[in-house]
Amino acid sequence: DRKAKIDTSKCVECGSCRSACPFGAIDERSNIVQIIQAIRAGQRVHALLAPSFIGQMGFKVTPPQIVTALKKMGFAAIEEVAVGADMTALHETKEFMEKVPARQKYMTNSCCPAFVALIQKHLPNEADKVSTTVSPMVACGRYVKSEYPEAVTVFIGPCIAKKGEARKFSDAIDYVLTFEELACMMAGAEIDPATLASESYINQASGFGISFPLLKGVQGALNHTLEELEETQVQAHYASGLEACLDDMKKLASGKLPCQYFEGMACVNGCIDGPGALAESGLVSVLIKKYASESQHKTVHGDTTAVKAVKKVDMEVR
Ligand code: SF4
Ligand code: SF4
């Protein structure tokens, strides 16, 4: 009947088809209406900003201007998911130390839901190697809910796969917006962040958490934490793009790729290239590196919000 149908037994919800379709005929469910209704109803709505938010609303727009714009839109509080990335790095490092090599030869990251789905659906024999630590989005959502049980949590990022992940972790995340959807909401509210004053704002994440969406960002945080805790480093491999992830994971499974930690990202160039991103990935990469270098926290394991939060929050996938 000439109707396209997605084969859900193979689909990993990466969202590439949405970007690729020249007619805009494929889309994900949007939560814009529910979020506006929650704000108008006076609920405490928290915006959880993915680390790749820098530069998405214009390369000259500063993080404090984005925060001010979100507050003007009615968000009660703004959290940087880079804090959740620090939490994930701390917990995943401990998980790695317990499991590799004592219980398994290698471990993979769990922060990219499309990569996790790729393993579960296309290499199911390797699914037990995926880390059981929750993603930065879920860690951050659980932390916010532990502090404010009444909070409505809205993850804002470049990712469409996070919409599916949020449905699985409804204890942590209520809604997901892409940067594209956020820009639509800002335009609808007639708010231009570039014209706003920069309120004083201090980010609570380490440079490593901020760098999670960059090339080898997750293993960078893991190796840094391992170095601090154990004075050792892990032999890690990075792959981005579904095809490269699958090819390299097959090599790893058959013993042809020496590696103890596999970092897989479904999008080519990782999260900065996600299907819901607005800005050019090379530019975002430069801006994130600068923002990370300016962080007051030079280590994940120091006196950070994440160190306190990780003690309060259940960090396991359940
Ligand atoms: S795997 Fe990705 S590109 Fe293929 S149908 Fe699913 S969301 Fe679309
Ligand atoms: S690489 Fe990042 S943006 Fe792309 S699917 Fe994975 S988590 Fe989402």
Side-chain angles (χ1 to χ4, degrees), residues 281-301:
S281 60
L283 181 64
V284 174
S285 169
V286 171
L287 294 173
I288 290 177
K289 281 179 192 158
K290 181 172 178 294
Y291 191 51
S293 71
E294 290 164 358
S295 167
Q296 59 176 337
H297 299 295
K298 301 298 169 209
T299 168
V300 181
H301 206 255

Side-chain angles (χ1 to χ4, degrees), residues 13-14 111-115 158-162 264-275:
E13 299 186 357
C14 67
C111 55
C112 171
F115 170 72
C159 184
I160 287 180
K162 289 283 171 193
M265 294 292 162
C267 297
V268 176
N269 299 322
C271 295
I272 53 174
D273 226 1

Side-chain angles (χ1 to χ4, degrees), residues 84-144:
D86 282 340
M87 293 167 72
T88 297
L90 286 167
H91 193 269
E92 198 160 298
T93 303
K94 287 189 179 145
E95 182 191 355
F96 179 87
M97 281 156 45
E98 279 167 27
K99 289 184 174 174
V100 182
R103 285 155 54 190
Q104 59 195 61
K105 280 189 182 161
Y106 73 93
M107 192 174 95
T108 83
N109 62 313
S110 60
C111 55
C112 171
F115 170 72
V116 173
L118 181 78
I119 306 304
Q120 290 169 339
K121 292 186 178 181
H122 298 268
L123 274 178
N125 288 343
E126 301 306 305
D128 60 347
K129 311 297 189 310
V130 176
S131 161
T132 56
T133 297
V134 292
S135 70
M137 174 183 84
V138 174
C140 191
R142 283 187 182 164
Y143 179 53
V144 169

Side-chain angles (χ1 to χ4, degrees), residues 49 53 63-64 67 78-80 198-204 291:
L49 274 176
F53 79 99
V67 169
I78 289 84
E79 330 288 337
E80 287 196 33
S198 286
E199 275 181 27
S200 117
Y201 169 76
I202 298 171
N203 117 70
Q204 299 300 320
Y291 191 51

